[in-house]
Amino acid sequence: MVVLAQSPFGVGVRILVGVCSLLLCPSLALSPCGNFSANGEGEQQRVVVEFHSEVVQNEVIVSFVGYFSSTSRLSFIRAALKQFDASQWEVFPKSNGMAAYPNDFDVVQIHAAWLEEGVKRLEKHPYVKKVTAQRMMTRSLKYVVDPDDDSCPSCSSNHSACSSPGGRFPTAAKGWSDTARHSNRKLQRAFSNQQITDVLQAKALWDLGFTGAGVSVAIFDTGLNAHHPHFKRIKERTDWTDEKTLDDVLGHGTFVAGVIASSKDCFGFAPDADLHVFRVFTNKQVSYTSWFLDAFNYAILKGMVVLNLSIGGPDFMDHPFVDKVWELTANGVILVSAIGNDGPLYGTLNNPADQMDVIGVGGIDYDNHLAKFSSRGMTTWELPGGYGRVKPDIVTYGTSVRGSALRSGCRSLSGTSVASPVVAGAVALLASAVIGTDALNPAAMKQALMLSARRLANHNLFEQGPGKLDLLAAYHLLRDFQPQATLSPPYVDMTECPYMWPFCEQPLYHSAMPLLVNVTILNSMGVTGRITSAPRWEPFVAENGHVLDVAFAYSATLWPWSGYLALSVSVNQAGRAFDGVAQGQVTLTVESPSQPGDKENRRSTLTLPLRVRVVATPPRHRRLLWDQFHNLRYPPGYFPRDNLRMKNDALDWNGDHVHTNFRDLFASLRDNGYYVEVLGAPLTCFDADNYGETATTRRSTTALGLDEGRNPTRSSAGHVPGGFLAQGSTVTCP
């Protein structure tokens, strides 16, 4: 929430203070990230997902420091709880595919009266790594007619059943007006009758003899029927729920499998791939964290090459789940996941697609516009003190895609849960072309997709990442691939709009809060690596680079396959009155251990070009400060949305920032000549003389001074604990 505060002296607005609200999204707040037709090739329908997440009372997940037999794990727990009566706790036996194998966790139920003490004792055991809550998620699917389909004449922008779930304001993506959508409907229907494999030219690789053979693909979804006529190589079906059935009754898992590997009617990309079907949701759409952990362990054990996860949720702080995803990719599993269906809102990325080591997939339509449902970046892990990473990693067709129906035949679906298997199928096909080479690891495949992507016009990097999937270009890149380190984004140019939004939206100036840029380092040279020496800023003096100061923070270790390089860019005293463009570059070297056949460690030297628009320092009355540091970090709790008219999705889980859910406010202020700076540090860490206004925070939406469109309409003042600045006071950072 935001207050635009006015000085008692009537000078004007100077400081902008934001207070976050967020939602506690327990471990597997998973959504299908997809929309689909319930009636085969009939009218297009969108799936509206409602979910309820809760901590399972008195149950905890005990994670161990390694993999141990069930006997050893039980002995560790007994030793930790030896002062408790045996009737006060119980270890739930495993009854799934991991029962016969060593494991790294157990689910323990502890009597409520002893839960807190029991957790403390478990955490003190030397073989226990972590104790976390067991979580349950109940999901329901509702089907509403897609408002973008001609078969829905009654739908309008005011029809609640047809509005995008979670939508808070109209889409900001250029080229996505109502008129444009209407004119493109015939194009969408025409393409929806084509094979998605034809659109992406998979046949060119099939003709070369590559069809996915030799590649094991794991599909985590709602199951698959054993005798479905579309599939040639269903290698294994496993159930990780408590229902003990392997069949799909919902159809989502069948469709996903079809996009990846169907061999008839509606073709998949890799028809000869070995399918391993993991059923992780019950027929009533219930799942638990522990079910996913066991299924992930089994995927590692069975040597999966590609894993598609068309489901995801907003909770990036579910530690067992996140840790297990890291372990998956560290073991060479290429994980492809849907970025989420919470678009057009920014900062709504789903986990695990928002992780650096995962290929996060967004959706586009056949006219190369970003789909309105596709979630936008940035990542919100780094808030409030830092800045988010660029996501998605790739976008591809996710609207009206044909795939396998539940029993036979085809159906059309839309959503990022559709775009995800498109990429997973493409990855399986590409993997079959590079089996046994250095190109077959999670980082190399992700680099190939990103470096060969084709950029979409009029969309920024937080909407599309590097661009849309180009299957043939990725193949040609992989064919001669050399392990290397790369950067995402590969450059920063504050003069390139709209692609470089928000960096291009506002220039830098002397005394401004630093520009923060979070760059992802991908390293296909090895699962682990390091930056050999501190990154260097190399200003181009002839291009005014001397007016910039650049500071760095970076990963001490790159693992798994990735790390970060954070830039803090500011204008020094020499640029106080400068107006123009300053340029330079950042250089660094990444090193990974040698691999068999290497004579020395692997090294890759990287260059990040930096181009910054600089202006003279604006007057104080035009400078606003957004207090990001005191925003609540997401997701430790549920809070109402800022727009209280949102009835269908009333709880907020987005990390508040001027470049995410307050981007319309940011744009409005910029259009009116204001400069918005972001404070990511305590209130003692800036010079209040640069702003000269009292800043306040309020939790009441009635005191925000903002209309529903987030445009400032009036000022208000007040004070609550957490942030007060005296008029004109000067403070320094310790």
Side-chain angles (χ1 to χ4, degrees), residues 8-134:
F9 301 99
V11 178
V13 177
R14 304 289 176 80
I15 302 178
L16 182 64
V17 177
V19 179
C20 294
S21 59
L22 62 149
L23 76 84
L24 171 64
C25 198
S27 93
L28 292 174
L30 303 173
S31 69
C33 306
N35 313 313
F36 55 93
S37 166
N39 302 308
E41 301 290 354
E43 66 182 14
Q44 294 299 307
Q45 291 188 320
R46 172 168 299 157
V47 174
V48 176
V49 181
E50 295 181 356
F51 59 85
H52 173 68
S53 307
E54 60 183 288
V55 172
V56 180
Q57 294 298 314
N58 306 328
E59 289 186 19
V60 295
I61 295 174
V62 180
S63 301
F64 300 97
V65 296
Y67 285 79
F68 302 95
S69 67
S70 58
T71 302
S72 296
R73 300 195 309 272
L74 181 58
S75 68
F76 300 154
I77 295 171
R78 280 176 175 165
L81 303 178
K82 61 184 178 182
Q83 294 184 351
F84 288 14
D85 187 270
S87 62
Q88 296 170 344
W89 60 273
E90 178 185 3
V91 177
F92 292 152
K94 296 185 183 298
S95 57
N96 52 42
M98 283 300 296
Y101 298 100
N103 213 318
D104 63 342
F105 81 94
D106 271 310
V107 177
V108 181
Q109 185 180 63
I110 304 176
H111 190 279
W114 302 99
L115 181 61
E116 183 177 355
E117 180 64 23
V119 169
K120 290 180 179 178
R121 292 181 180 275
L122 286 166
E123 289 175 334
K124 290 180 180 179
H125 193 279
Y127 285 100
V128 172
K129 179 172 66 174
K130 193 177 300 181
V131 181
T132 52
Q134 165 80 308

Side-chain angles (χ1 to χ4, degrees), residues 114-193:
W114 302 99
L115 181 61
E116 183 177 355
E117 180 64 23
V119 169
K120 290 180 179 178
R121 292 181 180 275
L122 286 166
E123 289 175 334
K124 290 180 180 179
H125 193 279
Y127 285 100
V128 172
K129 179 172 66 174
K130 193 177 300 181
V131 181
T132 52
Q134 165 80 308
R135 302 175 190 269
M136 179 184 74
M137 193 281 292
T138 304
R139 178 182 68 176
S140 65
L141 307 178
K142 293 183 178 180
Y143 301 92
V144 297
V145 178
D146 192 332
D148 291 335
D149 188 74
D150 276 342
S151 60
C152 181
S154 62
C155 288
S156 69
S157 58
N158 295 322
H159 195 287
S160 61
C162 298
S163 61
S164 59
R168 195 180 308 178
F169 45 77
T171 178
K174 296 181 180 179
W176 188 270
S177 65
D178 290 339
T179 301
R181 286 200 300 271
H182 181 77
S183 64
N184 290 331
R185 287 170 181 164
K186 291 183 179 180
L187 176 67
Q188 301 298 328
R189 288 199 302 272
F191 271 98
S192 68
N193 292 325

Side-chain angles (χ1 to χ4, degrees), residues 25 27-31 33 292 296 309-323 325-326 335 337-340 342 348-358 375 381 389 653:
C25 198
S27 93
L28 292 174
L30 303 173
S31 69
C33 306
F292 270 85
F296 283 149
L309 194 61
S310 283
I311 44 184
D315 189 3
F316 54 78
M317 297 183 70
D318 178 19
H319 295 294
F321 187 88
V322 171
D323 289 350
V325 169
W326 285 335
L335 179 54
S337 187
I339 206 71
D342 292 291
T348 56
L349 305 174
N350 279 199
N351 181 263
D354 61 352
Q355 295 186 213
M356 285 187 285
D357 51 322
V358 175
S375 291
W381 294 44
R389 290 169 282 109
W653 58 270

Side-chain angles (χ1 to χ4, degrees), residues 613-630:
R613 177 78 172 93
V614 180
V615 297
T617 303
R620 296 168 61 198
H621 71 277
R622 286 293 174 182
R623 295 177 63 178
L624 311 177
L625 188 66
W626 171 278
D627 181 7
Q628 186 67 35
F629 184 80
H630 291 95

